[in-house]
Amino acid sequence: MTFQELQLLPSILQAVEELGYERPSPIQAAAIPHVLAGRDLIGCAQTGTGKTAAFAIPILQRLQGRVGKGHKPVRALILTPTRELALQIQENFTQYGKYLPVRTAVIFGGVGQTPQVEALQAGADVLVATPGRLMDLYNQGHVSLTGLEIFVLDEADRMLDMGFIRDVRKIIGWLPKKRQTLLFSATMPQEIAELSQTLLREPVRVEVTPQSSTVDAIRQKLYRVEQADKKCLLQEVLQDKSLTSVLVFTNTKHRANQVAELLNSGGIAAMAIHGNKSQSARVLALGSFKAGTIRVLVATDIAARGIDVSGLPCVINYELPNVPETYVHRIGRTGRAGRPGLAISFCNREEEAYLRDIEKLIGKKIPVVRADGPSGREEIEKKVSEPKATPKPTPKPARAKEELSRAPGQKLKLEPLPPLRPLPPEPPKPRRALRSDPWVPGRVVASADGRRGKRRGRTPET
Ligand code: AMP
């Protein structure tokens, strides 16, 4: 399948080509014809599958015929749970619509509303919004939804997790009954399945890469490590200079701050991004990470939604999430658009149960690397496994003191950590052939509406 075969406008084809997209991703190939035909659609897909273009490209094509000066009411509304996602979606609309006269605006909370109101007053055909700010500006009379033609509910399951579903229902009540509706969700919890029944009319269902199948292009590694040794292990892993940009996940905001501070004190430029940070701090952290001025971004799950860094080589789970799907979401930040990726996870004794759930979900064991060397250092692993080479455990206080006294930029002295427990021999490393198709060959199902899936809890961001 090519983009030409999707009957797209030459101006969209040109924009897509300039972005270096060679062919539609499975969700794009499956969804675009239906959206162009005006059908309602449920897309079961997570970020990293190209789902934004799957709705943005056909929406732009549908809208472009009738835009112009003075056309004020919003014609397409994209409702998404986080500011980062909202910005990302707007950026995508701008990229794909580069040669079209379609105007987009984005509104989200945590910043002053004046520039957003001005953008709305200038006229926006496409409005990307988070629920809270949309409600604010709608109630103040700055947003008119009377001319709305297309409504997209993005990341519906996250809306539910983040407690936005009542706001979403309220917003839906403001929309004209006659419209096209698209709903995207990585999972299909009961509440979302029910919502979709009232929201959509005879929807087509398009599903790619089921939640449980971990993206194949991502190499996964696991370190078994005591909680107290995670700090040292992280610094050791980051000695690998090929890991140029690393997204580190923690389960809590507090831990995210701690880890970022630790890395900075060890000479590794890092910033934390989480829900307690101001919008400007989050933009700064993300911008610095994308620009490469910091090497490590430490994030909690909610703050990480919408982080799309092209070519991100590595994701580290400093802590394992208690919701197995969150693991799949996290590691999906690397290995995007077919690029190779590495996902490293640290697992302490208490997290063993989470690990079991994750392995059950992804349907395979995550290869274990010893806790005494960064991934890929088979040499060190071998040495340590020989009885003679077993290093003497370093007393922890001395190590901690060394960490604190090291000046920024000064290299961390590598002392191999003691093996934490006897490990079974490493399984043979699967050699992965390079794929010519950059997209994960996920199952793509397009059908009349159906439902499945069950709701799980979420990793708290405390
Ligand atoms: P998304 O799932 O929408 O967050 O997209 C994930 C990443 O894939 C983004 O960086 C997109 O720019 C990129 N992308 C989307 N569609 C394609 C395509 N057809 N070919 C290559 N990259 C794409």
Side-chain angles (χ1 to χ4, degrees):
M1 168 73 78
T2 63
F3 279 111
Q4 279 81 3
E5 285 170 310
L6 289 172
Q7 316 282 318
L8 298 177
L9 295 166
S11 48
I12 293 182
L13 288 175
Q14 191 181 337
V16 163
E17 194 187 323
E18 285 173 18
L19 287 167
Y21 295 5
E22 284 171 11
R23 65 178 72 79
S25 71
I27 184 95
Q28 291 161 8
I32 289 175
H34 294 298
V35 183
L36 282 177
R39 293 285 305 268
D40 281 7
L41 179 136
I42 298 180
C44 267
Q46 59 195 70
T47 45
T49 56
K51 74 171 164 66
T52 313
F55 62 80
I57 287 176
I59 288 177
L60 284 164
Q61 178 143 334
R62 278 175 66 74
L63 295 187
Q64 68 81 35
R66 289 164 290 134
V67 291
K69 276 190 187 157
H71 189 110
K72 291 284 167 67
V74 171
R75 298 178 60 208
L77 170 67
I78 291 86
L79 205 54
T80 194
T82 71
R83 315 158 201 199
E84 285 77 16
L85 270 171
L87 283 165
Q88 189 66 49
I89 293 169
Q90 193 221 10
E91 192 184 322
N92 286 163
F93 265 96
T94 311
Q95 289 169 334
Y96 309 139
K98 191 174 166 190
Y99 299 110
L100 294 172
V102 178
R103 298 156 303 178
T104 63
V106 60
I107 59 174
F108 47 81
V111 291
Q113 70 171 47
T114 312
Q116 298 179 357
V117 170
E118 283 168 3
L120 287 165
Q121 280 165 354
D125 304 293
V126 177
L127 177 62
V128 186
T130 55
R133 179 54 60 97
L134 177 63
M135 288 177 72
D136 266 7
L137 296 189
Y138 181 87
N139 287 328
Q140 291 174 47
H142 294 303
V143 181
S144 162
L145 296 170
T146 49
L148 193 89
E149 296 163 37
I150 308 172
F151 171 55
V152 180
L153 181 57
D154 185 40
E155 308 245 342
D157 52 351
R158 286 280 149 175
M159 291 280 197
L160 186 70
D161 281 350
M162 293 170 74
F164 291 154
I165 210 71
R166 281 182 62 185
D167 290 353
V168 169
R169 284 184 195 278
K170 198 159 187 185
I171 291 166
I172 290 167
W174 298 335
L175 308 180
K177 296 276 167 287
K178 193 170 168 285
R179 56 162 200 265
Q180 181 180 14
T181 306
L182 316 175
L183 182 148
F184 287 84
S185 198
T187 55
M188 200 50 70
Q190 189 61 28
E191 289 93 321
I192 297 301
E194 280 164 15
L195 177 71
S196 72
Q197 284 183 336
T198 54
L199 188 63
L200 299 120
R201 233 171 284 153
E202 296 173 16
V204 176
R205 184 179 172 120
V206 174
E207 186 176 342
V208 293
T209 317
Q211 227 355 212
S212 54
S213 65
T214 311
V215 182
D216 277 351
I218 303 169
R219 215 153 45 100
Q220 298 172 66
K221 301 248 178 192
L222 185 91
Y223 285 82
R224 288 210 158 87
V225 58
E226 295 303 334
Q227 187 63 28
D229 292 328
K230 285 189 178 180
K231 289 177 182 173
C232 292
L233 179 60
L234 181 63
Q235 288 174 310
E236 285 189 30
V237 167
L238 292 174
Q239 297 284 317
D240 183 347
K241 295 285 180 272
S242 69
L243 306 179
T244 46
S245 274
V246 181
L247 182 58
V248 176
F249 281 99
T250 61
N251 290 347
T252 66
K253 301 167 194 171
H254 176 64
R255 184 88 67 204
N257 286 339
Q258 267 186 344
V259 171
E261 276 165 29
L262 169 89
L263 293 176
N264 282 314
S265 70
I268 296 170
M271 284 187 189
I273 186 167
H274 54 67
N276 275 2
K277 296 268 179 190
S278 66
Q279 175 62 7
S280 53
R282 289 161 74 163
V283 169
L284 175 72
L286 195 52
S288 308
F289 190 54
K290 283 187 175 182
T293 46
I294 56 166
R295 186 171 159 218
V296 179
L297 187 65
V298 191
T300 55
D301 292 298
I302 289 176
R305 300 299 295 175
I307 292 180
D308 177 22
V309 181
S310 53
L312 183 64
C314 179
V315 164
I316 296 179
N317 290 306
Y318 190 83
E319 293 160 315
L320 284 183
N322 63 356
V323 178
E325 282 89 351
T326 303
Y327 174 84
V328 179
H329 274 300
R330 285 182 180 184
I331 73 166
R333 305 283 144 179
T334 180
R336 282 191 162 206
R339 293 188 193 93
L342 174 65
I344 296 173
S345 299
F346 297 173
C347 175
N348 67 24
R349 285 173 212 277
E350 288 72 45
E351 291 166 322
E352 286 287 337
Y354 304 158
L355 177 64
R356 275 195 298 278
D357 284 351
I358 290 166
E359 291 184 331
K360 207 164 138 196
L361 179 77
I362 64 176
K364 62 179 172 190
K365 290 256 173 235
I366 305 173
V368 178
V369 177
R370 285 179 194 280
D372 42 25
S375 67
R377 283 214 198 160
E378 279 81 15
E379 291 310 311
I380 297 177
E381 284 161 27
K382 254 195 241 155
K383 254 194 220 166
V384 176
S385 63
E386 285 163 19
K388 262 196 202 160
T390 305
K392 253 177 123 187
T394 313
K396 273 178 212 156
R399 185 178 280 268
K401 207 170 146 201
E402 183 209 25
E403 261 168 43
L404 293 173
S405 60
R406 212 168 345 101
Q410 190 186 333
K411 277 202 167 180
L412 174 77
K413 263 199 252 138
L414 263 185
E415 287 173 10
L417 292 171
L420 297 171
R421 66 183 65 180
L423 292 169
E426 277 272 299
K429 304 250 165 347
R431 290 221 168 271
R432 206 172 291 288
L434 278 180
R435 271 181 226 296
S436 55
D437 186 341
W439 292 95
V440 183
R443 186 162 60 91
V444 184
V445 186
S447 66
D449 186 19
R451 297 192 271 138
R452 80 175 172 86
K454 62 176 180 177
R455 170 147 165 62
R456 286 167 183 265
R458 71 178 171 97
T459 307
E461 185 185 295
T462 46

